[in-house]
Amino acid sequence: MEVESAECECCELREDCTRGYILGVKADFGGRWLCGLCSEAVRDEAAKLGRKRGGGGGMEEALRDHMSFCAKCRKNPAFRVADGMRQMLLRRRSK
Ligand SMILES: [Zn+2]
C-alpha cells in the first residue's frame, strides 16, 4: 500500500496516510484534505446543518466555519488547536 504525507488544510497537522484514504477524504471535502480531528468536526457540523434544513448539504458551510475556527486558533499561540477542537467536539456531543 502506498503511503503519502498529507497536510491538513485547517490545522496544518501532517499525517501519513494511504493514497486511497487521502483521495477518499479529498472527495468528501471538495478536494481538501483534513486530518482526523478536523474531518470529524466538519462531518459532525455538516450533519447538524443538514438536519436543521431537513435535507443534505451543509458540507461547504461546515468546512468554511471550521477553517475560520482553526485559523483563529493558529493566530492565538495561547490556544492550542488540538485542545480547542477536543473541547468543541465534547461540547457538541454533550448537546
Ligand atoms: Zn486538522
Side-chain angles (χ1 to χ4, degrees):
M1 198 82 91
E2 210 179 326
V3 173
E4 288 181 13
S5 177
E7 189 179 305
C8 178
E9 297 248 1
C10 286
C11 66
E12 295 174 352
L13 183 91
R14 280 197 160 275
E15 272 179 22
D16 289 334
C17 306
T18 62
R19 197 181 172 80
Y21 175 77
I22 292 171
L23 290 176
V25 171
K26 282 187 173 176
D28 277 358
F29 300 112
R32 298 175 185 91
W33 190 83
L34 306 187
C35 70
L37 257 181
C38 290
S39 62
E40 195 185 343
V42 172
R43 282 196 178 103
D44 194 53
E45 185 63 29
K48 216 172 285 169
L49 284 168
R51 273 200 301 277
K52 229 185 276 171
R53 291 175 186 151
M59 187 60 90
E60 271 299 314
E61 199 179 331
L63 189 57
R64 243 194 343 262
D65 280 0
H66 188 73
M67 285 180 99
S68 69
F69 173 82
C70 278
K72 255 182 264 165
C73 294
R74 279 208 303 273
K75 276 183 206 138
N76 183 355
F79 192 99
R80 283 184 300 151
V81 173
D83 282 353
M85 257 185 303
R86 212 170 293 131
Q87 278 162 23
M88 185 177 72
L89 286 170
L90 285 173
R91 206 164 57 227
R92 284 180 172 172
R93 285 206 181 109
S94 65
K95 257 183 212 161

